[in-house]
Amino acid sequence: MRERFIVIGGDAAGMSAASKARRENPNLEIIALEKGDWASYAACGMPYYLKGNVDKIEDLIAITPEVFRDKRDIDLRLNHEVLRIIPEKKTIVVRTAQGEIELSYDKLLISTGAKVARPRIEGIDSTGVFFLRDIPDALKIKEYLEKRKPKSVLIVGGGYIGLEMAEAFHTQGMAVSIVELLPHLLSTFSLEIVQIVERDVKEYIRLYLRRRVNSIRENDEGKLSVSISDGENKNQEEIGTEMVLMATGIVPEVTLARDIGIELGHSGAIITDEYGQTNISDIYAAGDCTEVKSIVTHQNIYLPLALTANRNGRTVGTTIAGKKTPLSPIAGTAVVKVFELEVATTGLTDLDAAKGYGFDPVKVTIDSYSRAGYCPGAKPIKISLIADRNSKRVLGSSMVGEEGVAKRIDVIATALYSRLTVQELENLDLAYAPPFSPVWDPVLTAARVLQGKLE
Amino acid sequence: MRERFIVIGGDAAGMSAASKARRENPNLEIIALEKGDWASYAACGMPYYLKGNVDKIEDLIAITPEVFRDKRDIDLRLNHEVLRIIPEKKTIVVRTAQGEIELSYDKLLISTGAKVARPRIEGIDSTGVFFLRDIPDALKIKEYLEKRKPKSVLIVGGGYIGLEMAEAFHTQGMAVSIVELLPHLLSTFSLEIVQIVERDVKEYIRLYLRRRVNSIRENDEGKLSVSISDGENKNQEEIGTEMVLMATGIVPEVTLARDIGIELGHSGAIITDEYGQTNISDIYAAGDCTEVKSIVTHQNIYLPLALTANRNGRTVGTTIAGKKTPLSPIAGTAVVKVFELEVATTGLTDLDAAKGYGFDPVKVTIDSYSRAGYCPGAKPIKISLIADRNSKRVLGSSMVGEEGVAKRIDVIATALYSRLTVQELENLDLAYAPPFSPVWDPVLTAARVLQGKLE
């Protein structure tokens, strides 16, 4: 009998694992169970679909179920929800349209992803209040936009999704507000960089920082009134809006894992060994339901991002297919487009966080340009760079600018992976031509200034 | 008495050295001698000046002579040509407007740069034939363009300058031809990448590859007739043009050095030790007149580029100021804008060259996109990547595309510097958001495909 590999959750990590396991091992029986209607889609593309940049929702499907079944010999079953895992019997119980079934496995991958964090807010279930996590969410928002043509929206949460959706709504002529509980947007980016973003977005939207949402009320005409206040419940304010988007973040979906005693980390996400195996033998986990290791701190972190999910799924698939391969640690690189700005980050960007990991951090923030100063179209770039005073190693960076930022961060990500010192970063032979960079690339300038503080 | 540091040549390397030496050592007497009228200018900006992107030639001056003299206490003397060095006396002989003078030095820096290679071609001194190396050259071309308004130009040489000038002339409505002696443009880039460039430029200009220029003749109306043929003097052809630009490359300017027995490399450029000192004590060299060390091969190469000149000048200035600092090897990173295309390269890109250095090279070329496939505006990117089969180390890469190439090459440059293997390159946590990259950045895809060939 063929060895059977079952994947729970048919998105980035799960389908990457299934596909890679198939390529490595043609003899494996591979079953992928997805509780919903959609598998293998580009979740990161949903804001661009809602912005009107992507024609049809189907364009976000990376690989269709037919291709998985017919070309890759992967038995992908949609609308199959796994109810529980029985490790002692090495089986799982699955709800199907025809009732519950029990399937045995040899290897199991939990790639159940993450789900929206639903804050306890009065009125959160009102018509006109939306979340955005999966394709059904996106379709509901699209339908509401088309039918109701709301002229205003209040977004709760100033992270990636909140900001991308602010641009999407603004592009369609809506009045957009963002309410953020924390003192600043994009909390994992350097403050100096975030301040530029905040200054910029205020030209397009209304920004409420350090404000919590207390309640959402629906009036007779179907309009919403959102009550916000500061942390001490002072400065109460009522904001009228025709739509609310809750972009308050996600939490790992670990119900199945928790039920059988799989070890979870501080974040609540699944902990695995370096091969992606949980503390229960033959049960692996990958993607947005797991913690991953930081290349900078060597500690586990919860940073659910698309590349990591795809890559770790792929790596676990390789291991399950019989070729043991360790997971790669991550630098924590992220980039987001916010109206005209490219905003990017990698590694540690906050002095206090770096101290918490035992570093003696030094930080500089520099201003430079995306092209030679005399070149028309040169745009300002601001870079913040952190290093450890003892080891002189680069620890992280955030950047912002109108061009040349999204991929410039990758030099720092590569430097983190290579454990470069600031001096080594300064010595890099980076590309120069007047339309693309000053002679001293902004990254080199940041390294030079930081090196001056380390000497 | 103050120690005296004399710099010969007032451009990138020389003025970087002078400035850095001043910052490190306020007591040094610093004299910089420039034989021409212009110091510290952005030579790389000249094609953009001639394209009409830069208003005044003065915009290319990085730092004015007044700032050097008044703010940096550097005695910069224009129109001072050094005639010879007398190492036994530690003096130099300088031609000035007031006659020859002799100056003593404690430390000397030869930063005489490079000069155009003047091929022996009949009629090369005709009116309407130009070189482009320094600001007087640029001004002569500008004047000719404005006075004569030529409608056509033939460029001899398909390197950086030839291609940048092709775009500059084309933008002004001129008919442009390029004649290149070698079988392809951009000879230091991967052939697979260059072929894309050639296909693209043919939409804008006439391209003659594998063709040498035999003679240039001026007719009575001041028009030029250029005779070209292939290597065996067959396929002779006469091309009528109103202007010729010789972009046939540069050679190191080493007359002063050679006269006193300073050691030169195979390229004809000056060889220094790791601190930039020549084989004559207290005489240093930096910039376009020197060879530099490759991070990939550890061999000396001649690759006269702006960042290296600036950086090595700065490093030698630090050493001369009393703080001994080694020169950093280079990856050999370069980028050039060619009409719509960004074309970039770093490290070794040719299999034969790599074999010559003792590697067992493996190369792949992949096609990807600058953004997520469903994102409007996604442009094709082609990447060629080479590694060594024995060490698995990345050796070099070339790339081409309409966006996102110029700074993507920097990841490979950083990888070369960090001696990453292909597997390590594939493991990098690079930035992803739909407007800037597919989930798997093209660099990661190239690494993955190459890794497949290494296994």
Side-chain angles (χ1 to χ4, degrees):
Chain A
M1 234 184 80
R2 295 208 289 172
E3 197 179 29
R4 181 185 280 171
F5 169 34
I6 296 184
V7 171
I8 308 178
D11 206 356
M15 297 320 292
S16 296
S19 298
K20 179 64 173 164
R22 166 58 65 235
R23 267 197 302 280
E24 293 286 332
N25 185 344
N27 297 317
L28 210 55
E29 180 187 4
I30 305 177
I31 302 173
L33 304 169
E34 165 55 43
K35 71 174 174 183
D37 286 319
W38 302 87
S40 181
Y41 62 91
C44 307
M46 293 187 303
Y48 298 92
Y49 168 69
L50 292 169
K51 188 181 173 186
N53 276 352
V54 179
D55 282 347
K56 318 183 295 296
I57 198 79
E58 287 75 15
D59 293 344
L60 299 184
I61 307 303
I63 296 158
T64 63
E66 292 68 37
V67 169
F68 282 118
R69 287 177 205 135
D70 302 343
K71 301 261 170 78
R72 298 192 182 179
D73 186 20
I74 292 167
D75 182 3
L76 167 60
R77 307 183 192 175
L78 300 177
N79 299 301
H80 278 58
E81 184 179 11
V82 177
L83 299 173
R84 59 189 175 277
I85 304 165
I86 309 170
E88 309 80 53
K89 293 167 63 186
K90 292 188 85 170
T91 63
I92 56 173
V93 179
V94 188
R95 176 156 53 206
T96 75
Q98 290 75 41
E100 285 184 19
I101 59 169
E102 195 164 334
L103 289 174
S104 69
Y105 65 82
D106 294 294
K107 308 279 182 194
L108 187 67
L109 173 64
I110 301 177
S111 48
T112 42
K115 58 187 176 187
V116 292
R118 288 184 77 89
R120 287 189 200 167
I121 294 173
E122 187 195 324
I124 200 172
D125 296 318
S126 308
T127 311
V129 179
F130 296 89
F131 288 84
L132 177 56
R133 178 62 194 162
D134 53 25
I135 284 189
D137 292 338
L139 292 173
K140 271 185 240 164
I141 294 173
K142 186 78 167 180
E143 192 191 358
Y144 192 81
L145 290 175
E146 286 174 355
K147 279 202 182 152
R148 302 286 286 267
K149 303 203 190 321
K151 291 186 187 61
S152 58
V153 60
L154 183 142
I155 297 170
V156 185
Y160 305 130
I161 297 296
L163 289 168
E164 287 176 337
M165 285 307 301
E167 185 183 333
F169 289 131
H170 174 84
T171 303
Q172 297 177 34
M174 295 168 70
V176 181
S177 306
I178 290 185
V179 177
E180 166 61 52
L181 187 61
L182 296 173
H184 294 284
L185 301 173
L186 291 173
S187 57
T188 57
F189 289 59
S190 269
L191 182 57
E192 297 80 0
I193 300 307
V194 171
Q195 285 167 337
I196 302 296
V197 178
E198 291 172 354
R199 196 185 65 191
D200 187 75
V201 298
K202 279 180 191 161
E203 292 181 23
Y204 303 97
I205 67 169
R206 186 91 192 253
L207 200 54
Y208 299 88
L209 297 174
R210 265 186 234 266
R211 290 288 183 280
R212 71 167 64 247
V213 173
N214 299 313
S215 66
I216 302 170
R217 282 190 208 86
E218 217 176 330
N219 72 11
D220 296 342
E221 295 118 50
K223 300 216 168 152
L224 299 164
S225 176
V226 181
S227 162
I228 65 169
S229 63
D230 67 13
E232 285 128 14
N233 265 320
K234 289 177 187 160
N235 295 314
Q236 195 152 333
E237 207 170 328
E238 293 282 330
I239 307 172
T241 183
E242 295 178 49
M243 182 175 179
V244 170
L245 177 71
M246 300 298 302
T248 42
I250 54 176
V251 291
E253 171 55 78
V254 294
T255 315
L256 289 173
R258 191 196 289 119
D259 286 350
I260 55 170
I262 283 178
E263 192 186 355
L264 306 180
H266 290 298
S267 69
I270 297 168
I271 291 180
T272 71
D273 67 12
E274 66 172 316
Y275 299 99
Q277 193 168 220
T278 68
N279 56 322
I280 298 183
S281 183
D282 293 327
I283 303 184
Y284 293 77
D288 291 358
C289 57
T290 63
E291 292 190 350
V292 289
K293 192 144 285 182
S294 158
I295 189 80
V296 182
T297 66
H298 301 283
Q299 303 293 308
N300 271 358
I301 48 175
Y302 182 59
L303 209 62
L305 290 173
L307 174 60
T308 305
N310 277 277
R311 173 149 43 206
N312 287 1
R314 197 169 180 275
T315 305
V316 170
T318 311
T319 294
I320 284 174
K323 196 169 148 191
K324 227 175 159 181
T325 307
L327 299 173
S328 179
I330 67 162
T333 313
V335 60
V336 58
K337 182 173 179 297
V338 185
F339 295 94
E340 307 303 314
L341 296 177
E342 305 178 7
V343 200
T345 195
T346 192
L348 296 173
T349 55
D350 179 65
L351 290 176
D352 287 335
K355 280 178 201 155
Y357 283 110
F359 295 110
D360 180 6
V362 190
K363 186 184 202 169
V364 295
T365 301
I366 65 102
D367 291 291
S368 182
Y369 285 90
S370 61
R371 311 180 184 190
Y374 52 80
C375 247
K379 305 284 185 189
I381 287 184
K382 191 183 275 284
I383 298 185
S384 138
L385 184 67
I386 297 194
D388 175 41
R389 197 185 295 276
N390 298 320
S391 65
K392 315 291 187 205
R393 270 180 49 210
V394 179
L395 296 178
S397 174
S398 293
M399 307 180 182
V400 63
E402 285 181 46
E403 68 171 12
V405 164
K407 289 282 111 187
R408 221 169 219 113
I409 197 74
D410 287 347
V411 168
I412 312 282
T414 308
L416 294 179
Y417 196 90
S418 308
R419 311 179 76 73
L420 296 192
T421 63
V422 176
Q423 181 66 65
E424 289 167 332
L425 182 64
E426 186 188 340
N427 285 348
L428 291 177
D429 186 16
L430 302 184
Y432 161 61
F436 306 122
S437 166
V439 177
W440 293 93
D441 188 275
V443 167
L444 301 177
T445 300
R448 191 167 69 193
V449 174
L450 184 50
Q451 179 62 21
K453 288 191 89 174
L454 288 175
E455 277 169 1
Chain B
M1 234 184 77
R2 297 207 290 171
E3 198 178 28
R4 180 185 281 171
F5 169 33
I6 295 184
V7 171
I8 308 178
D11 206 355
M15 298 320 292
S16 296
S19 297
K20 180 63 173 166
R22 166 59 65 234
R23 268 197 300 281
E24 294 285 332
N25 185 344
N27 296 319
L28 210 56
E29 182 186 3
I30 304 178
I31 301 172
L33 304 170
E34 166 55 43
K35 71 175 174 181
D37 286 320
W38 303 87
S40 181
Y41 62 91
C44 306
M46 292 186 305
Y48 299 91
Y49 167 71
L50 292 169
K51 188 182 174 186
N53 276 352
V54 180
D55 283 348
K56 316 183 297 292
I57 198 78
E58 286 76 14
D59 293 344
L60 298 184
I61 307 303
I63 296 158
T64 63
E66 292 69 36
V67 169
F68 282 119
R69 287 177 204 135
D70 303 343
K71 300 260 170 78
R72 298 192 179 180
D73 187 20
I74 292 167
D75 182 4
L76 168 60
R77 307 184 193 174
L78 301 176
N79 298 301
H80 277 58
E81 183 179 11
V82 177
L83 300 175
R84 59 189 175 277
I85 303 166
I86 309 170
E88 310 80 52
K89 293 167 64 186
K90 292 188 85 170
T91 64
I92 56 172
V93 178
V94 189
R95 175 156 53 206
T96 75
Q98 290 76 41
E100 285 184 19
I101 60 169
E102 195 164 335
L103 288 174
S104 68
Y105 66 81
D106 295 293
K107 308 279 183 195
L108 187 67
L109 173 64
I110 301 177
S111 48
T112 41
K115 58 187 176 186
V116 291
R118 289 183 77 88
R120 286 189 202 166
I121 294 173
E122 185 196 325
I124 200 172
D125 296 317
S126 308
T127 311
V129 178
F130 296 89
F131 288 85
L132 177 57
R133 177 63 193 161
D134 54 25
I135 285 190
D137 291 338
L139 292 174
K140 269 184 242 165
I141 294 173
K142 185 78 166 180
E143 193 191 358
Y144 191 81
L145 291 175
E146 286 173 355
K147 279 202 182 153
R148 302 285 286 266
K149 304 203 188 326
K151 290 186 187 62
S152 59
V153 60
L154 184 143
I155 298 170
V156 185
Y160 306 130
I161 298 295
L163 288 168
E164 287 176 338
M165 286 307 300
E167 185 183 335
F169 289 130
H170 174 84
T171 303
Q172 297 177 33
M174 294 167 71
V176 182
S177 306
I178 290 185
V179 177
E180 167 61 51
L181 187 61
L182 297 173
H184 293 284
L185 302 173
L186 292 171
S187 57
T188 58
F189 290 59
S190 269
L191 182 57
E192 297 80 359
I193 300 308
V194 171
Q195 284 167 337
I196 302 296
V197 178
E198 290 172 356
R199 196 185 65 192
D200 187 75
V201 299
K202 279 180 191 161
E203 293 181 23
Y204 303 98
I205 66 168
R206 185 90 192 254
L207 201 53
Y208 300 88
L209 296 174
R210 267 188 233 264
R211 290 287 182 280
R212 69 167 66 249
V213 173
N214 299 312
S215 66
I216 303 169
R217 284 193 206 82
E218 217 176 331
N219 73 10
D220 297 341
E221 295 119 52
K223 301 216 168 151
L224 298 165
S225 177
V226 181
S227 161
I228 65 170
S229 63
D230 68 14
E232 287 129 13
N233 266 321
K234 289 177 188 161
N235 294 314
Q236 195 150 332
E237 207 171 329
E238 293 282 328
I239 307 171
T241 184
E242 295 179 50
M243 182 175 179
V244 170
L245 177 71
M246 300 298 302
T248 41
I250 54 176
V251 290
E253 171 54 79
V254 295
T255 315
L256 288 174
R258 191 196 290 118
D259 286 350
I260 55 171
I262 284 178
E263 193 187 354
L264 306 179
H266 290 298
S267 68
I270 297 168
I271 290 180
T272 71
D273 67 12
E274 65 171 317
Y275 299 99
Q277 193 168 219
T278 68
N279 57 321
I280 297 183
S281 183
D282 293 326
I283 302 184
Y284 293 77
D288 291 357
C289 57
T290 63
E291 292 190 351
V292 290
K293 192 145 286 184
S294 158
I295 189 79
V296 182
T297 65
H298 302 283
Q299 303 292 307
N300 272 358
I301 48 175
Y302 182 59
L303 210 61
L305 290 172
L307 174 60
T308 305
N310 276 276
R311 173 150 41 205
N312 287 1
R314 197 169 180 274
T315 305
V316 170
T318 311
T319 295
I320 284 174
K323 196 168 147 192
K324 228 175 156 180
T325 308
L327 299 173
S328 179
I330 68 162
T333 313
V335 60
V336 59
K337 181 173 179 298
V338 185
F339 295 94
E340 307 304 314
L341 296 177
E342 305 179 6
V343 199
T345 195
T346 192
L348 296 173
T349 55
D350 180 66
L351 290 175
D352 287 335
K355 280 178 200 155
Y357 284 110
F359 296 110
D360 180 5
V362 190
K363 185 183 201 170
V364 295
T365 301
I366 65 103
D367 291 291
S368 183
Y369 286 91
S370 60
R371 311 181 184 188
Y374 53 80
C375 247
K379 305 284 186 189
I381 288 184
K382 193 182 274 285
I383 298 184
S384 139
L385 184 66
I386 296 194
D388 175 41
R389 197 184 296 274
N390 298 319
S391 65
K392 315 291 187 206
R393 271 179 49 211
V394 180
L395 296 178
S397 174
S398 294
M399 307 179 182
V400 64
E402 284 180 47
E403 68 172 11
V405 165
K407 290 281 112 187
R408 221 169 218 113
I409 198 73
D410 287 347
V411 168
I412 312 282
T414 308
L416 293 179
Y417 196 90
S418 308
R419 312 179 76 73
L420 296 192
T421 63
V422 177
Q423 182 64 67
E424 288 168 332
L425 182 65
E426 185 188 341
N427 284 348
L428 291 177
D429 186 16
L430 302 184
Y432 161 61
F436 306 122
S437 167
V439 176
W440 292 94
D441 189 275
V443 167
L444 301 177
T445 300
R448 191 166 68 192
V449 174
L450 184 49
Q451 178 62 22
K453 288 191 89 172
L454 288 174
E455 278 169 0

